[in-house]
Structure formats: C-alpha cells, structure tokens
Amino acid sequence: MNTLSRTEFDRVREELLGRARGLEKELFIHCFEKQNEQGILTELKKFQNEDGGFGHGLESDFRLPLSNPMHTSIALRILSEQVSDEAAEKMTRKAFAYLENAFDEGKQRWFTVSREVNDYPHAPWWNFDEEKGMTVIDQSWGNPSAEIIAYLLEKKGYLKKIDIEELNELAIEQLESREVFKAEHEIYCYVELFKRQTVPEKAKRIEKKIIQACDALICEDVTQWNAYVPRPLDFITDAKLPHFGISEDLIEIHLDYYAEILKRDHFIDTNWQWGVYSDTWELAKKEWQGVLTLKGLRLLKSFGRIEG
C-alpha cells in the first residue's frame, strides 16, 4: 500500500497552494486544516453573476463570463459537499432561480453553454456548433442535466416552478434507456444523482446502470492512464460510496497511482491539451493542476492513504 507521509503531504500542500486558484486553496484549507466555509463562499462569489448563475471560467476549459448551467452545476456541487445549508442558502437560492429560468421546457433539459462561449478562449470540445445548436458535450442528455437535478432534488424547497420529482424520474428513465455507454462524463453526473436519492428503489435503478457503465467504460490498463481515459476513481468520489462493481484491487492500484505521482511530482498534471489559445491554456492548465491535485489528495484522505 502506497501512502503519503506527513513530510510528503506537506510538500504537496506547498505546491498546491503555489499553483491553485483562490477557490481551490480555500477548499484545501477547509478539507485538511480547519472549517473554512466563509472562505469558500467568498471565492465562489467571484464567479456568480447578478442573475444567480455562475460563469467566469469556473470550469477552466472555457472562459465564458456569462452565466451557464455547466458552471452553475459545478458551484452547486461545491456548495452541496463543502458548505452547510444555512451558510450556502442565499447563494444556492440565487443559483436555483437562474437554473429555473435557464431550463429548456421543450427539451426537458439544460444545455451546457450558450453560443457566446465561442467569443472567449475555450477548449475545442466546448465549441458551440451553430447548426446543431449545442456543443458536442450536449449530445449526452445527462451532462449536466442529471447533476443539476441532483442538487435541485436535494433542496427542492427552494424551487418555485420546476417539478423536480418528475424530472428525477425522467433522468432515471433516460439512463435506463442506455444500452451502449460512450460518455463517461454523463455517468459522473449520474453518480451525483445517485448520491442524492431518498427513495431506495430509485437509487437501485441508477446504481444498476452505473455498474453497467463502469464495466463498459473504465480503462483497466494502468499504462494508459496518462491519456484521457476513464479510470476507477473517476466514478468513486468517496470511500463510503458503493464501488459500482469496480474491483477492490483496481481501486487500490488507482490509489497507489495517485500516491506515486504526488510523491514524485508533488502535484497532478492534466492529461489533456487544448491545442489552441496557447496563452490562456497555460493559465487554465495551472488552474487544473490545483483542481486535480486537490481531488487526488481528497481521495487519498478518504481511503486512509495519508499518514497522520
């Protein structure tokens, strides 16, 4: 078993605090050093617009300042996992109001971004196709709709217009209709929806399909993990979660992989490139290094792989 010693952890801490955005720094402090809800809220507020939605490059691969459902779903994930309901209420209510207004009634979904994304630096996969009226990401219904539904379901008392129970059932039916799984990011969204189910029967329906998806999607070849492939711990965000049929041996191998990288490099680098907007990519890459390093540390902590 590969673990991080206290000395090695301190080296990673120093590297992360030198590379990361203010948001990831505050999240690190909150997760590893002291309760720090106000610091998280202060940093998140920098990404929230007057209409309640989030923008301004919260997801570093597109720099759109306008509110969009994708950035808003990321903000709600952070609020849900890291900030108490009472402290997060004002920010969450504003975000919910934005999402209710942004909901596409006809298609019964949210689209990730608007066409204005093309006016700002972005990775090629975030390009808005004018003919199709969406990005390539939007070809998967559940990304980000299933994840947004998860957070709306969790605090449904904040909603004024949307029938969230009806949407929750629609999301489950969408997943159950899948026979072939091609989009791992959609399944990551369904993991968040699974975590927030209050009816065991509905949770079991989602879990059954996530197990099938993991079996189909996960790359088990460790030598390929430096490429952009779905890996075991991309689906398991916490040791307390079900493991969705992923073998314990494979999970342990992935934990060893994270620990080895952090011991060697003291941060986790991206395994993708934009190939365009080179100056902005360098900034985005540094931001992602903070996000990925924090993710790795949190997983190691959850599975007891950090000493002390």
Side-chain angles (χ1 to χ4, degrees), residues 101-133:
N101 289 329
F103 184 62
D104 188 318
E105 289 278 357
K107 301 290 178 61
Q108 289 288 286
R109 63 178 294 186
W110 287 269
F111 288 89
T112 54
V113 294
S114 61
R115 56 180 36 85
E116 286 84 2
V117 71
N118 291 348
D119 297 333
Y120 300 89
H122 59 280
W125 47 91
W126 281 111
N127 196 65
F128 189 93
D129 187 319
E130 294 285 352
E131 288 187 13
K132 295 180 179 178

Side-chain angles (χ1 to χ4, degrees), residues 34 43 103 111 119 170 238 254 269 277:
K34 64 180 180 181
E43 288 300 319
F103 184 62
F111 288 89
D119 297 333
L170 174 61
D238 188 285
H254 200 175
D269 203 356
Y277 301 110

